[in-house]
Amino acid sequence: MIDWEGIVAREGPGVWRRVYRLLGNRADADEVFQETFLAALSFSKREVVESWGALLHRLGTARAVDRLRQRQRRNSRQELADFDFVGSGEAEPYQNAQAGELSERLRVALGRLPERQAEVFCLHALEGWEHAEIAKQMQITSDAVGVLLHRARSRLRELLAPMIKVENRKVAS
Amino acid sequence: MNDPGNNHDLVDRAVAELMDAPVEEGPSRMVVARTLDALKKNSAEARPGIVGRIKRMGWTYKIAAAVLIGLCGVALVLVINGVGGGSVAVADVARKLRESRTLACNWSMEMPTNGRPVAMKMMFMEPGKLRVEVPGAAATIVDLSKNKLLVLNPMIRTAIAVDLGEMKGGPANQATEMIEWVEKIKNTTGEQAQQMGRREIDGVEAKGFSLAEQGMAYTVWADARTGTPLRIEIPIDMGSFKTAMVMSDLVFDQKMDESLFDLTPPAEYLLMNFDLPIFHNPAGEEDIVALLKWYAARSGGSFPKALDRWVDFAKAAKQKGQGTDQKELMGIMVRAGRATAFLTGLGANNYGYAGAEAKLGEGQKIVFWYRVDGSEQYRAIFGDLHGEDVSRERIPASVP
């Protein structure tokens, strides 16, 4: 019998921090928190869980990325417009960029990455996991982790690049 | 980082900003309660059973694990026999054993299936507490003061609890028998040991004593100066493979934590009161018969080519169209372990197998035969799986 109360008490706060940080709002974090533990339950029916902490953090990250992608799909038209606006000569959406917008921009960009790229990137860049640890949890090779990370960073650079143009202009002015 | 034109740094900056962003306190009690409630409901809908856990294991591994569990019981008897032999070999050795309150040792055995030695750790503590661990596979805990036994299997997060008080019959209680062996060992004087000379073990000069008792031969190596047993070697001859159990790193009177013998399974383990036949009677021919019957039923009436080819049993278990009932699966896994234990106990010269040439139902063909060491009488199992006492002349192959 799995001691869910113990696991939630032990791992819950950490899972919450991770999903909240990625999602940036309480409503989504609440839902993803619950989804994460239910996903862990499903997993435990299929495979032996070696580390609840590692599993929950990976699943939390995956579910949060999935939520970012859902947001992205919902707002795809607007988001696409935001990205394409840059350099068009019209009013820049980031001209008034304030502190915190860069992190929000990263959330949007993560939602536009392929799922596994986003997941690997988050586990590595936000959680500080080593390649080998990610490889073990995602059941892929360390080389594959490296490739996914490389692609994720490249794509993020592309997606975040419009910010630089805005900032450069702000510096120049 | 300071160059705003560097896109690479921008990714790092975005990450850093995200990491520095404030995180609201959470999760709220309501969310935790809701989550626990959802987990409870979903757990109740499809609580993972033993079959689910077993299905996650590879088939060959399942059989191997079962055999290991079976061997674990045998090993305990042999280990304790071995310790006893060591004690009777020389007075100093016997005294060490008699006066010790705890005993810990490692032991290993080469297995033919994977080419790697099976390593176990045994711990004994007065009064009547025993723990045997197969790292990553199983731990068996016996506490005679509570009359209970617990088998923990971390691979499938399963705990099997056995109340020894419910067992009937003299030799049925193997666990009790194991502990009794220890007590006997501690009070033996040792008069049948043969000197085996000297050798160095882990930098210590050791004297060897060879013993042969109750059909089992083994060698004890003890510190030549103090008489402390250092190593016990028990040869195993299964016919198709030969190996040896080696007990090493024997430590006497080591301080042991009582929790090692705690009979409460970890919270995440599925506790089963599984009626394991291994604990109710010694391994014997009925285990061979059960194994052959099961195999034949899944293989169109054929018997396995050899009794220790676990891969064939794994293939039989995977036969298309054959459902795998969890109780049946556990039962046959235990049977495989018991059969291996039975054959090990007989010794390679005391049994034979000819199942590859027979089919289920062929009542005139002997598929398996054995004799108790030293006996002139043979026991045979025929193709229809009935058993008979037979004379040596009816045995189909050359025997000693």
Side-chain angles (χ1 to χ4, degrees):
Chain A
M1 190 71 174
I2 298 172
D3 174 23
W4 283 113
E5 286 195 21
I7 294 170
V8 171
R10 193 171 60 247
E11 307 293 344
V15 171
W16 165 267
R17 279 193 296 276
R18 281 160 177 80
V19 299
Y20 184 93
R21 180 170 285 129
L22 268 173
L23 296 169
N25 75 68
R26 178 174 282 277
D28 280 350
D30 283 349
E31 287 184 19
V32 168
F33 179 84
Q34 182 172 326
E35 288 174 7
T36 298
F37 279 91
L38 289 175
L41 170 62
S42 296
F43 182 94
S44 71
K45 292 174 183 174
R46 299 190 306 273
E47 295 182 40
V48 174
V49 178
E50 289 182 8
S51 164
W52 285 102
L55 174 69
L56 285 163
H57 293 162
R58 177 175 73 78
L59 291 174
T61 299
R63 303 302 295 181
V65 165
D66 189 49
R67 183 58 61 104
L68 291 175
R69 290 165 59 80
Q70 285 174 21
R71 282 185 197 169
Q72 189 61 29
R73 285 195 291 273
R74 276 201 303 269
N75 303 315
S76 58
R77 186 176 299 172
Q78 183 59 43
E79 295 290 346
L80 200 59
D82 288 347
F83 279 101
D84 292 343
F85 252 131
V86 180
S88 66
E90 298 181 36
E92 300 284 6
Y94 309 112
Q95 261 178 334
N96 298 314
Q98 300 293 318
E101 288 195 357
L102 189 56
S103 57
E104 184 54 36
R105 191 68 184 165
L106 178 60
R107 291 187 181 106
V108 173
L110 286 169
R112 299 187 70 181
L113 288 185
E115 197 170 350
R116 286 172 80 79
Q117 284 184 28
E119 193 177 338
V120 167
F121 179 83
C122 290
L123 290 172
H124 181 70
L126 304 182
E127 304 291 335
W129 286 22
E130 299 293 336
H131 287 207
E133 196 175 4
I134 297 171
K136 184 182 175 187
Q137 279 295 319
M138 296 185 70
Q139 299 184 335
I140 57 179
T141 65
S142 288
D143 287 345
V145 171
V147 170
L148 287 168
L149 266 178
H150 176 76
R151 289 177 181 166
R153 290 192 76 93
S154 298
R155 182 63 179 142
L156 285 173
R157 280 200 294 274
E158 290 173 10
L159 294 172
L160 294 172
M163 285 293 291
I164 296 170
K165 294 178 184 176
V166 173
E167 288 192 351
N168 285 346
R169 274 194 288 275
K170 287 165 75 176
V171 169
S173 64
Chain B
M1 183 70 81
N2 294 326
D3 176 7
N6 187 328
N7 293 5
H8 186 83
D9 285 347
L10 187 61
V11 175
D12 293 332
R13 282 175 53 202
V15 168
E17 189 174 297
L18 192 71
M19 295 300 287
D20 289 340
V23 174
E24 288 185 25
E25 200 71 19
S28 67
R29 286 184 182 177
M30 189 180 73
V31 169
V32 169
R34 198 172 65 200
T35 301
L36 286 172
D37 189 49
L39 287 166
K40 189 176 175 184
K41 282 180 183 170
N42 282 273
S43 296
E45 284 169 9
R47 183 179 167 184
I50 182 66
V51 72
R53 296 165 190 235
I54 291 170
K55 278 179 177 174
R56 298 172 207 157
M57 302 163 65
W59 271 100
T60 304
Y61 201 40
K62 289 172 194 170
I63 301 297
V67 172
L68 278 178
I69 291 169
L71 282 176
C72 192
V74 176
L76 285 171
V77 175
L78 293 179
V79 161
I80 293 167
N81 269 324
V83 173
S87 72
V88 299
V90 60
D92 285 341
V93 178
R95 182 175 53 78
K96 291 286 182 188
L97 287 161
R98 192 166 50 247
E99 294 176 355
S100 63
R101 301 292 299 168
T102 70
L103 168 62
C105 71
N106 294 324
W107 65 269
S108 63
M109 182 170 67
E110 297 285 344
M111 297 296 284
T113 48
N114 57 15
R116 291 174 301 180
V118 173
M120 295 192 190
K121 185 165 187 172
M122 188 198 82
M123 284 161 277
F124 173 79
M125 182 164 78
E126 295 278 14
K129 293 178 180 175
L130 191 69
R131 180 185 177 101
V132 175
E133 296 176 356
V134 181
T140 302
I141 302 166
V142 183
D143 187 342
L144 285 187
S145 66
K146 295 187 171 76
N147 231 22
K148 287 186 176 173
L149 181 149
L150 186 74
V151 179
L152 298 173
N153 189 331
M155 289 189 298
I156 54 176
R157 293 287 198 277
T158 302
I160 300 169
V162 179
D163 188 341
L164 301 176
E166 293 176 358
M167 292 184 168
K168 309 288 185 195
N173 196 332
Q174 285 188 358
T176 305
E177 198 174 25
M178 291 171 203
I179 305 296
E180 285 174 353
W181 268 110
V182 174
E183 300 305 326
K184 286 178 185 174
I185 289 160
K186 285 175 171 289
N187 292 294
T188 52
T189 55
E191 295 171 346
Q192 300 172 26
Q194 291 185 348
Q195 300 270 355
M196 293 292 290
R198 293 175 180 244
R199 61 183 272 202
E200 188 176 299
I201 294 177
D202 298 330
V204 178
E205 186 182 15
K207 284 178 71 175
F209 304 93
S210 173
L211 293 110
E213 292 181 348
Q214 301 180 25
M216 189 177 72
Y218 44 91
T219 301
V220 180
W221 294 93
D223 187 319
R225 188 172 55 82
T226 65
T228 302
L230 300 172
R231 183 182 172 96
I232 298 169
E233 298 166 348
I234 308 164
I236 304 293
D237 188 344
M238 290 278 293
S240 60
F241 74 93
K242 292 178 175 58
T243 185
M245 293 184 191
V246 177
M247 297 170 59
S248 60
D249 303 305
L250 285 85
V251 179
F252 297 91
D253 288 323
Q254 181 185 48
K255 187 174 171 60
M256 291 183 183
D257 194 318
E258 288 279 351
S259 64
L260 289 167
F261 306 95
D262 189 352
L263 292 162
T264 307
E268 291 175 16
Y269 278 53
L270 176 66
L271 178 61
M272 304 168 64
N273 291 305
F274 196 81
D275 191 17
L276 280 175
I278 191 169
F279 298 120
H280 285 259
N281 60 295
E285 70 176 56
E286 70 274 14
D287 298 303
I288 302 291
V289 168
L291 209 55
L292 293 175
K293 184 178 180 182
W294 178 84
Y295 185 94
R298 288 176 163 264
S299 307
S302 297
F303 294 118
K305 290 177 182 168
L307 287 174
D308 55 9
R309 277 175 57 94
W310 302 336
V311 65
D312 289 345
F313 288 95
K315 285 178 184 171
K318 285 196 293 187
Q319 290 293 319
K320 284 185 180 176
Q322 299 274 6
T324 306
D325 174 75
Q326 60 167 318
K327 193 169 181 180
E328 176 193 338
L329 179 60
M330 274 301 284
I332 209 63
M333 287 167 67
V334 172
R335 288 291 191 186
R338 285 172 57 84
T340 306
F342 176 53
L343 299 178
T344 304
L346 287 173
N349 293 330
N350 290 320
Y351 72 90
Y353 177 72
E357 289 83 42
K359 282 270 192 181
L360 182 66
E362 293 181 335
Q364 298 303 311
K365 284 191 178 178
I366 293 176
V367 295
F368 173 75
W369 65 96
Y370 70 95
R371 67 169 181 171
V372 176
D373 197 25
S375 169
E376 290 300 313
Q377 191 70 35
Y378 286 81
R379 179 81 178 162
I381 304 298
F382 291 78
D384 60 358
L385 301 180
H386 82 277
E388 280 182 30
D389 292 337
V390 297
S391 62
R392 177 174 179 160
E393 289 69 34
R394 291 189 66 185
I395 300 301
S398 61
V399 293

